[in-house]
Amino acid sequence: MEKLDARGLSCPEPVIMIRKAMLSGGERYEMVVDNTAAKENVTRYAQHQGYQVAVTASGGEYTLTMTK
Amino acid sequence: METEVKLTKLASCAGCGAKVGAGTLAQLLEGFQTHQDPRLIVGYDKSDDACVYVVDEQTALVQTTDFFPPIVDDPFLFGQIAAANALSDIYAMGGEPKLALNLLCLAEGMERETVQEILRGGYAKAYEAGAIIAGGHTIQGAEPIYGLAVTGFVHPDKVLTNAAAQPGDRLLLTKPLGVGILTTAAKADLVEGAVLERIYAQMATLNKTARDIMVRYPVHSCTDVTGFALLGHSYEMAQGSGCSIHLDTARIPYHPEAYEMAAMGFIPAGAYRNRTYASAGVKAGPNVTQTMEDICYDPQTSGGLLIALPAEAAEACLAELRQAIPQAAMIGQVTKRQDYAVYLD
């Protein structure tokens, strides 16, 4: 599983980051973001690419687990 | 034209996406003590596009300001877009801009020619609007900012607020949506040059033609669709008018390329702020996709006019608008107040 840290990044950087990572066609990715726009946008991108997304929130940060 | 330092790289957020959310703004202004003046007929207490001050029986002054960080790299185009956006608030009140002042913030790394091009773009657009830029103020800061403070005039009886829509009115929109999404996707190099040129030209287009046509019809209410997006501005119009607004997504014009980009998550943060602000007052029907909702929450830089007028006049007004602005569309109607401010179907 590839782990990505997009904290401190504003849109569209987190989506660009996950897009680049998913080009390798992995089955599972985990990304940490620290704003709701990034959480929503990365979720949309992953779903668009056919991944299922689970989100856990903690202290203003969101961990997105994306599985194919 | 290429610049040494890309203008958009100097900006943390682009265009009207930089606007502070409507909810935050309302909190900031809560409890703010204001003074009344009977001549100030549209002021602080209204969430309107500009303030209006009556000078005499024939003349009212309309004032507004708008500024933001670069949304495009071409400085001349940025100047034009920022000016068109600032001038738009005067048009949305039914007025005509006459005088403007530059508001400029310079960031480190900006060439002299870049700054001159921004100002030249603003001047050209103001001149096209029939207004003259007569001065301004420039400071140094962390990121480039440009815009105008604009003064215009309107007949006191012809002021168009965003709070006077009436049941039975139809709603017209004069520019397609999606420019916030597409400029966000452009940062990932996912938007074709021809599409970008189309939206840049749209953002640099004055709402003057739309205004000049609109004022020949019995318009009840008008606003321009900018940072708060179609749904945020519709929500404010519905709340201010004490009515409900029904929008038909099948008729809402948007750039088709924005749909896929939104589905892929290239949505500006401002769209989520708009959703937070308005969603409690918006009821989306079961057939409305999340992506279509995202487009309706997308902040528009220099967006079109949203015009409310009686049904029979709306048909004629739309026909005339379409001769000059083919994308203009009738997107919904106003009803008496129901449970929600805005219905999206």
Side-chain angles (χ1 to χ4, degrees), chain B residues 5 12 18 26 38 52 58 85 100 123 135-136 156 178 188 204 221-222 260 289 303-304 318-320:
Chain B
V5 180
S12 58
V52 182
Q58 300 296 319
N85 184 69
Y123 197 94
S221 191
C222 180
E260 197 191 355
T289 62
L318 179 64
E320 194 179 345

Side-chain angles (χ1 to χ4, degrees), chain B residues 290-337:
Chain B
Q290 181 190 51
T291 303
M292 194 62 214
E293 271 190 59
D294 287 335
I295 288 172
C296 293
Y297 280 117
D298 181 34
Q300 302 300 287
T301 298
S302 190
L305 297 183
L306 180 66
I307 305 164
L309 73 175
E312 42 306 351
E315 296 284 352
C317 183
L318 179 64
E320 194 179 345
L321 279 170
R322 277 203 172 141
Q323 287 178 12
I325 309 164
Q327 305 92 333
M330 188 179 293
I331 64 165
Q333 59 180 315
V334 182
T335 63
K336 67 177 173 53
R337 181 69 190 200

Side-chain angles (χ1 to χ4, degrees), chain B residues 50-52 60-63 87-98 129 150-156 158-161 207-212 214-215 222 305:
Chain B
C51 61
V52 182
L61 200 69
V62 190
Q63 281 202 319
L87 291 157
S88 176
D89 287 327
I90 304 284
Y91 294 129
M93 304 303 293
E96 289 181 288
K98 288 296 170 198
V150 190
T151 301
F153 296 104
V154 65
H155 191 286
K158 304 261 171 77
V159 176
L160 296 175
T161 72
N207 281 328
K208 178 181 180 9
T209 305
R211 177 267 174 203
D212 289 349
M214 157 181 89
V215 295
C222 180
L305 297 183

Side-chain angles (χ1 to χ4, degrees), chain A residues 35-49:
Chain A
N35 63 82
T36 53
K39 177 196 72 169
E40 291 294 328
N41 282 338
V42 171
T43 298
R44 279 167 177 65
Y45 186 79
Q47 286 172 343
H48 186 265
Q49 297 301 308

Side-chain angles (χ1 to χ4, degrees), chain B residues 46-66:
Chain B
K46 313 263 195 344
S47 304
D48 217 319
D49 305 302
C51 61
V52 182
Y53 186 90
V54 176
V55 177
D56 60 33
E57 284 180 359
Q58 300 296 319
T59 314
L61 200 69
V62 190
Q63 281 202 319
T64 181
T65 182
D66 220 316

Side-chain angles (χ1 to χ4, degrees), chain B residues 55 60-61 68 101 104 136 176 243 245 251 281 336:
Chain B
V55 177
L61 200 69
F68 48 62
L101 299 170
L104 181 65
C243 298
I245 282 177
R251 290 166 178 252
K336 67 177 173 53

Side-chain angles (χ1 to χ4, degrees), chain B residues 11 32 64 82 86 102 106 115 128 145 160 164 166 178 196 208 276 281 283 296 302 327:
Chain B
F32 193 83
T64 181
N102 283 317
L106 304 180
V115 179
E128 183 189 331
I145 295 172
L160 296 175
Q166 294 179 18
L196 286 177
K208 178 181 180 9
T276 303
K283 175 78 173 166
C296 293
S302 190
Q327 305 92 333

